[in-house]
Amino acid sequence: ISKQIVHLTVNKIIALARQYNAVVVIEELSNLRRANVAPGKSISNRGRKSNTYGKCREVLLYKSKAAGVLVDEVGAAYTSQTCPKCGNIDARNRLVFVDGKVTRFRFRCTNCGFEHDNSDEVAAVNIARKHLFKKECIETKKKSKSASNRSWQDFVKQMCAG
């Protein structure tokens, strides 16, 4: 069933990318397997997420190539901790109290107070921004030898201000 779900999901992603002439951007999650084999995790759960993610990535890469759709992988660092409104990066942005319990599914910026019900959607915005940042860095290096050393945080803050 999981193989079928992966193929159906990837087919929808490829169709949307072709429809909008878009680049598919995913997080580079090479450390996911290591995170799932940490001490204390049950043997039956070890690597389960990384196997599904790895299979999805593999299918996406070969189907996108066949369909002529570009795929870019960007680093996952800070994508779920960065405020899409002000650019503040803080791990506490993900530690939101709901009914007296901490949940990592909501997002609340410790700097500007921006809130969103789905932290994965906040991360998706930041993944798209990381793609733009990566693209800008590559283009800047092509234009001059003294490429801009602007940080990810500076880039986000500029996007938020503009």
Side-chain angles (χ1 to χ4, degrees), residues 63-128:
K63 285 192 175 198
S64 64
K65 189 173 183 178
V69 171
L70 296 175
V71 175
D72 185 23
E73 289 185 276
V74 298
Y78 308 113
T79 55
S80 65
Q81 297 176 9
T82 303
C83 177
K85 185 174 180 187
C86 74
N88 175 49
I89 299 173
D90 190 335
R92 295 173 298 166
N93 290 343
R94 291 286 310 277
L95 302 175
V96 179
F97 282 93
V98 176
D99 298 327
K101 295 179 183 176
V102 174
T103 177
R104 296 180 62 82
F105 298 109
R106 294 190 49 146
F107 184 95
R108 181 180 303 130
C109 180
T110 58
N111 184 53
C112 71
F114 171 80
E115 291 188 46
H116 194 68
D117 288 339
N118 189 327
S119 58
D120 288 337
E121 290 176 4
V122 170
V125 167
N126 289 317
I127 290 167

